[in-house]
């Protein structure tokens, strides 16, 4: 059988345009994943994914969309394909930030999710200053 994969889809504009700290964006993924697993806890794939024998064998893929409208459209597509998922709305800001799916067999991940790019940390794309260019000492 194909491994179970939980797919997380996060808005890239949270970091790029809205300047959220990377940790805050990561928290959105955790919130959505946790809410999804709890909401759909009685589904067979969730129970298998959360079983004691699979507890240390999680497969999670984090993808990205550009903004809130893209996330809403993706949610609509997933509803149309009957893919259970959780659309996370951060409070008190009332901002939609992330989608988490139930665990899905890798071979059955629907096209709208497969075609998305993996989430990239934009700050990781800029090489750090070398020690020679920086006034800081390297870590010891």
């Amino acid at each position: 059988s194909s491994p179970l994969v939980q797919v997380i889809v996060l808005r890239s504009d949270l970091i790029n345009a809205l300047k959220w700290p990377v940790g805050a964006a990561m928290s959105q993924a955790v919130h959505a994943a946790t809410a999804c697993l709890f909401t759909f806890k009685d589904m067979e794939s969730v129970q298998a994914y959360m079983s004691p024998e699979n507890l240390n064998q999680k497969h999670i893929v984090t993808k990205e969309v550009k903004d809130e409208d893209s996330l809403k459209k993706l949610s609509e597509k997933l509803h149309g394909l009957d893919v259970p998922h959780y659309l996370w709305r951060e409070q008190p800001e009332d901002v939609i930030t992330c989608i988490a799916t139930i665990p899905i067999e890798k071979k059955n991940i629907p096209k709208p999710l497969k075609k998305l790019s993996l989430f990239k940390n934009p700050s990781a794309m800029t090489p750090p200053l070398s020690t020679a260019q920086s006034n800081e000492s390297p870590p010891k």
Side-chain angles (χ1 to χ4, degrees):
S1 77
S2 181
L4 291 171
V5 178
Q6 187 174 31
V7 182
I8 309 297
V9 183
L10 188 62
R11 291 173 45 188
S12 61
D13 69 333
L14 295 176
I15 297 171
N16 298 336
L18 301 176
K19 304 300 182 198
W20 285 32
V22 173
M26 290 172 54
S27 294
Q28 301 308 299
V30 174
H31 291 323
T34 304
C36 185
L37 293 172
F38 182 79
T39 299
F40 298 104
K41 65 184 176 289
D42 295 329
M43 294 191 74
E44 187 177 324
S45 71
V46 175
Q47 290 181 1
Y49 190 73
M50 298 303 295
S51 67
E53 56 271 8
N54 288 327
L55 203 53
N56 293 318
Q57 301 176 39
K58 299 291 172 246
H59 297 278
I60 298 175
V61 176
T62 306
K63 305 271 192 147
E64 67 181 11
V65 294
K66 65 181 182 174
D67 56 22
E68 184 174 347
D69 284 341
S70 301
L71 203 58
K72 287 178 181 176
K73 287 176 185 169
L74 177 61
S75 180
E76 290 170 12
K77 286 180 186 176
L78 294 176
H79 278 298
L81 294 168
D82 293 324
V83 176
H85 64 283
Y86 197 98
L87 184 63
W88 180 258
R89 184 181 296 269
E90 181 66 4
Q91 297 297 340
E93 297 86 354
D94 199 35
V95 175
I96 294 171
T97 59
C98 190
I99 285 175
T101 68
I102 63 164
I104 303 167
E105 284 193 6
K106 186 176 181 179
K107 67 181 182 186
N108 294 332
I109 293 175
K111 280 186 182 178
L113 292 172
K114 278 186 181 178
K115 72 178 188 177
L116 296 174
S117 298
L118 291 173
F119 182 83
K120 296 174 201 72
N121 175 355
S123 63
M125 295 179 192
T126 307
L129 293 173
S130 72
T131 307
Q133 296 172 304
S134 168
N135 292 331
E136 295 181 41
S137 302
K140 295 182 180 184

